[in-house]
């Protein structure tokens, strides 16, 4: 693989079989599948890093029916997965698109694992998010990228977008769910001590020669595996800090484009097609105002590259956005904190705090408005639907010590808490009245809500929002807490703590309408020759419904495979 930081290194008459716009997970997958077919590939990335939002994510990849599924859930079938998607999504997206994903998911994963360094493992238990619907499962469909040794990348290691700093420990050590559980239990059993010691020593060694840890997990591991695999193909060129300025068309077909890097411009021709994988519209100011009204861009925790610059070019070629989505974006509650360098940390609250016993979320009236254990997507949507922005995640001292809250880690000492309290990220009150006063919310409402949740913790039943009734909710609670309901616990230990939550968009759900080969469609529903869209540039097959973990990365991988296969079939042999 050739890596370019200047267009001067490309020949003026460059011709490629496939050009991929955007080097996130979906774009890198499309480029890799084309490279496996022996095609000449140009991968264009507007930032200095590869990985996009995938690099910042958990990297979970939802693909039903793979060989991994059979190892943990041998009774699951594609027909059951199709039934679940139909129950969850209905007519928000074409069933044929969902079926294309299901029909080709296993072959895409198998091809990646047998011919590249991309490797997955199944979660023993990782439920579909709407786990009370028919066809849902508790395991087998969500795949996790295996950890990767970043040292194998050599100089390419610096190209991977670093993870959100607040998701790392000890100055850049990445940890996944398994690591966290071991670190929390390192003094309780030998297995956890052994695991923790191994990764801690590895990190200490890394910091002698690297700016951060090289043991990569989650989304960073997936991106590193894609990059390492691409690096083995001399027919791939990666152009960083490069933008697409124009499309060139011939008889209605996209046949080339003009690239721009700084003041340099270069025309390139393409035989098979152009794949849009630029990450969606979320950081395009006008599109954001139109599609996500009221949601401040400062609340978005996703990668910085999804500016939709290429969307205007696609629309100029006749492309249209898909319709009918439940929401134009996928959501998560986030908390915000100013970093020492002046940037803002945007921390998504996925599973570590809000669903745990001893936690509840209220609005300015001090009233609950949501099932705290629902999926982060539904949580974010509920915040907006009820006008609960900001919302307030509240816990007592016991829950804070046991689970942490947001960027505050479990087991925090008074010294650890001091900077969070000093800058206002965390609010503390010796009583609920004092906490409410500090937050500027209704004290009577807050006390009534806490009294209710305390009663519900005794019975294990939440009659207001049915917290903890599904397998998904229970899985992100704490089964070891000893409460009647793993998601419910009393708030009785002063002092009390709270932080503010905002609805953060974690990815686009609305994108370009496509067919089952990821070809972009025009207003008449006809494919635009030579133009494809994958990842968040493609209208989500989930129709704005967050059905399961990894429902952006999984389809991104599979439709990246389908787009590359279709485009490469049209390209001349190289």
């Amino acid at each position: 693989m050739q890596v370019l930081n200047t267009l001067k290194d490309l020949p003026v008459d460059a011709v490629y079989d496939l050009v991929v716009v955007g080097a996130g997970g979906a774009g890198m997958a499309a480029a890799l599948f084309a490279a496996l077919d022996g095609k000449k590939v140009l991968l264009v990335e507007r930032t200095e890093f590869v990985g996009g939002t995938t690099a910042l994510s958990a990297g979970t990849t939802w693909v039903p029916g793979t060989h991994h599924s059979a190892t943990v859930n041998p009774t699951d079938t594609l027909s059951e997965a199709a039934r679940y998607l139909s129950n969850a999504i209905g007519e928000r997206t074409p069933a044929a698109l969902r079926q294309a994903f299901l029909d080709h998911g296993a072959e895409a994963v198998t091809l990646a694992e047998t011919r590249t360094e991309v490797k997955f493992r199944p979660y023993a238990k990782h439920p579909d998010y709407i786990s009370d619907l028919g066809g849902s499962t508790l395991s087998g469909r969500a795949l996790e990228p295996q950890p990767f040794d970043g040292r194998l990348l050599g100089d390419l290691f610096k190209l991977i977008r670093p993870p959100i700093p607040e998701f790392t420990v000890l100055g850049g050590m990445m940890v996944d769910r398994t690591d966290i559980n071991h670190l929390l239990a390192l003094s309780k059993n030998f297995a956890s001590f052994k695991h923790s010691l191994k990764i801690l020593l590895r990190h200490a060694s890394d910091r002698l020669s690297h700016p951060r840890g090289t043991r990569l997990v989650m989304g960073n591991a997936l991106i590193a595996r894609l990059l390492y695999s691409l690096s083995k193909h001399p027919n791939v060129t990666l152009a960083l800090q490069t933008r697409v300025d124009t499309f060139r068309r011939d008889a209605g077909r996209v046949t080339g484009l003009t690239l721009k890097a700084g003041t340099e411009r270069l025309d390139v021709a393409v035989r098979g097609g152009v794949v849009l994988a630029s990450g969606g519209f979320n950081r395009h100011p006008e599109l954001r105002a139109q599609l996500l009204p009221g949601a401040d861009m400062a609340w978005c925790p996703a990668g910085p590259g999804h500016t939709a610059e290429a969307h205007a070019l696609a629309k100029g070629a006749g492309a249209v956005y898909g319709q009918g989505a439940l929401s134009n974006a996928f959501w998560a509650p986030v908390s915000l904190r100013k970093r020492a360098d002046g940037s803002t940390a945007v921390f998504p609250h996925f599973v570590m705090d809000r669903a745990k016993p001893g936690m509840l979320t209220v609005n300015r009236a001090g009233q609950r408005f949501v099932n705290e254990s629902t999926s982060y997507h539904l949580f974010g949507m509920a915040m907006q639907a009820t006008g609960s922005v900001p919302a307030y995640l509240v816990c007592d001292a016991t829950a804070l010590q046991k689970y942490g809250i947001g960027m505050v880690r479990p087991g925090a000492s008074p010294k650890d808490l001091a900077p969070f309290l000093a800058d206002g990220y965390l609010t503390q009150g010796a009583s609920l009245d004092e906490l409410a006063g500090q937050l500027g919310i209704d004290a009577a409402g807050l006390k009534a809500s806490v009294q209710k949740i305390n009663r519900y913790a005794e019975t294990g039943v939440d009659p207001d929002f049915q917290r903890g009734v599904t397998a998904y909710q229970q899985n992100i609670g704490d089964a070891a807490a000893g409460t009647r309901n793993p998601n419910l616990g009393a708030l009785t230990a002063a002092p009390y703590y709270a932080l503010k939550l905002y609805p953060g968009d974690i990815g686009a759900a609305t994108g370009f309408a496509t067919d089952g080969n990821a070809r972009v469609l025009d207003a008449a529903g006809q494919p635009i020759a030579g133009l494809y869209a994958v990842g968040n540039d493609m209208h989500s097959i989930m129709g704005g419904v967050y059905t399961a973990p990894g429902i952006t990365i999984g389809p991104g991988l599979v439709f990246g495979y389908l787009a590359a296969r279709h485009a490469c079939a049209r390209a001349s042999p190289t």
Side-chain angles (χ1 to χ4, degrees):
M1 180 180 72
Q2 182 184 16
V3 180
L4 305 180
N5 285 295
T6 173
L7 294 179
K8 294 178 181 178
D9 294 330
L10 282 178
V12 294
D13 56 350
V15 181
Y16 294 91
D17 295 308
L18 191 74
V19 176
V20 181
V21 181
M28 294 176 77
L32 180 57
F33 285 123
L36 290 176
D37 199 39
K39 303 305 180 185
K40 188 176 180 181
V41 181
L42 175 63
L43 181 58
V44 180
E45 169 57 40
R46 70 177 298 276
T47 74
E48 70 273 32
F49 295 115
V50 301
T53 299
T54 300
L56 307 178
S57 73
T60 305
T61 306
W62 196 79
V63 183
T66 67
H67 59 283
H68 291 297
S69 178
T71 65
V72 295
N73 191 359
T75 63
D76 192 24
T77 64
L78 288 181
S79 61
E80 279 296 278
R83 184 166 74 98
Y84 172 59
L85 293 181
S86 179
N87 285 335
I89 302 166
E91 298 182 359
R92 294 188 182 279
T93 58
L97 269 182
R98 303 197 296 264
Q99 196 59 49
F101 165 66
L102 295 174
D103 287 344
H104 298 285
E107 65 192 64
V109 170
T110 297
L111 178 60
E113 291 197 310
T114 54
R115 295 191 56 196
T116 81
E117 297 300 321
V118 175
K119 309 294 179 188
F120 296 102
R121 60 191 181 193
Y123 282 97
K125 186 177 182 182
H126 208 339
D128 293 334
Y129 284 177
I130 317 175
S131 57
D132 53 338
L133 285 183
S136 64
T137 66
L138 300 182
S139 61
R141 298 173 183 170
L143 307 178
E144 174 188 33
Q146 292 190 20
F148 183 76
D149 186 351
R151 295 173 297 189
L152 296 173
L153 287 167
D155 288 341
L156 294 177
F157 176 69
K158 66 178 180 292
L159 301 185
I160 299 175
R161 182 170 297 283
I164 296 173
E166 290 73 23
F167 277 5
T168 67
V169 298
L170 301 176
M173 184 174 87
M174 294 196 72
V175 289
D176 59 18
R177 184 167 60 176
T178 300
D179 299 328
I180 292 171
N181 289 336
H182 280 303
L183 288 167
L184 291 175
L186 73 89
S187 63
K188 299 177 182 177
N189 64 74
F190 182 71
S192 291
F193 173 79
K194 183 178 179 180
H195 180 95
S196 301
L197 181 64
K198 181 179 179 179
I199 63 174
L200 289 168
L201 290 176
R202 164 67 184 274
H203 182 63
S205 175
D206 282 345
R207 289 310 306 272
L208 296 176
S209 55
H210 294 85
R212 66 182 180 102
T214 63
R215 176 183 174 269
L216 305 181
V217 297
M218 303 188 296
N220 248 226
L222 178 56
I223 293 301
R225 288 184 172 278
L226 287 166
L227 182 61
Y228 188 54
S229 301
L230 285 165
S231 72
K232 298 177 181 294
H233 291 274
N235 53 330
V236 175
T237 299
L238 170 63
L240 295 169
Q241 301 187 79
T242 301
R243 304 181 181 196
V244 179
D245 192 56
T246 58
F247 282 169
R248 188 163 65 252
R249 302 176 72 199
D250 183 9
R253 179 179 183 82
V254 177
T255 57
L257 37 74
T258 301
L259 303 178
K260 185 176 181 180
T263 59
E264 301 170 12
R265 293 167 63 91
L266 182 71
D267 293 334
V268 299
V270 58
R271 286 184 281 254
V274 173
V275 178
L276 296 179
S278 65
F281 67 84
N282 299 62
R283 294 193 185 277
H284 187 287
E286 289 78 19
L287 289 173
R288 185 178 185 89
Q290 175 188 344
L291 298 173
L292 306 178
D296 195 315
M297 195 184 298
W299 305 340
C300 176
H306 51 303
T307 60
E309 288 182 4
H311 284 214
L313 304 180
K315 290 177 181 178
V320 295
Y321 285 153
Q323 301 297 317
L326 175 67
S327 173
N328 290 319
F330 297 114
W331 301 92
V334 301
S335 54
L336 312 175
R337 188 183 187 221
K338 191 70 70 177
R339 298 189 179 109
D341 64 2
S343 63
T344 299
V346 184
F347 188 93
H349 291 248
F350 290 131
V351 299
M352 298 305 295
D353 49 25
R354 59 185 173 79
K356 298 295 192 293
M359 302 267 178
L360 84 161
T361 304
V362 299
N363 55 24
R364 290 187 183 89
Q367 298 171 348
R368 293 176 68 211
F369 61 91
V370 67
N371 178 341
E372 293 90 345
S373 304
T374 194
S375 74
Y376 39 88
H377 177 56
L378 293 178
F379 194 112
M381 290 186 66
M383 292 177 70
Q384 296 169 86
T386 61
S388 302
V389 181
Y392 305 86
L393 178 59
V394 179
C395 70
D396 71 353
T398 299
L400 180 73
Q401 279 294 302
K402 192 169 186 178
Y403 308 114
I405 185 171
M407 301 181 214
V408 180
R409 302 262 164 75
S413 68
K415 182 179 179 181
D416 297 327
L417 294 180
F420 295 99
L421 294 168
D423 64 18
Y425 174 73
L426 185 68
T427 301
Q428 173 184 297
S431 65
L432 292 173
D433 281 304
E434 183 178 319
L435 182 68
Q438 297 272 10
L439 296 171
I441 66 176
D442 187 81
L446 176 62
K447 288 191 293 183
S449 295
V450 170
Q451 290 168 1
K452 280 187 178 181
I453 210 77
N454 290 352
R455 292 199 303 271
Y456 300 162
E458 293 178 0
T459 64
V461 177
D462 172 15
D464 297 330
F465 295 97
Q466 294 73 52
R467 182 170 166 181
V469 301
T470 71
Y472 163 73
Q473 295 173 33
Q474 294 164 9
N475 188 57
I476 62 173
D478 183 5
T483 55
R484 289 179 177 270
N485 182 323
N487 301 99
L488 290 174
L491 285 74
T492 56
Y496 299 92
Y497 299 90
L499 51 75
K500 295 178 182 179
L501 298 178
Y502 301 87
D505 49 300
I506 58 176
T510 289
F512 291 115
T514 66
D515 67 6
N517 286 310
R519 293 185 295 177
V520 175
L521 304 179
D522 63 18
Q526 297 301 307
I528 300 171
L531 187 60
Y532 302 80
V534 299
N536 289 349
D537 280 351
M538 174 185 178
H539 192 66
S540 172
I541 62 170
M542 304 299 170
V545 180
Y546 220 115
T547 53
I551 50 85
T552 56
I553 297 177
L557 174 76
V558 176
F559 283 102
Y561 163 68
L562 291 171
R565 186 181 70 170
H566 190 273
C568 288
R570 298 189 57 91
S572 302
T574 56

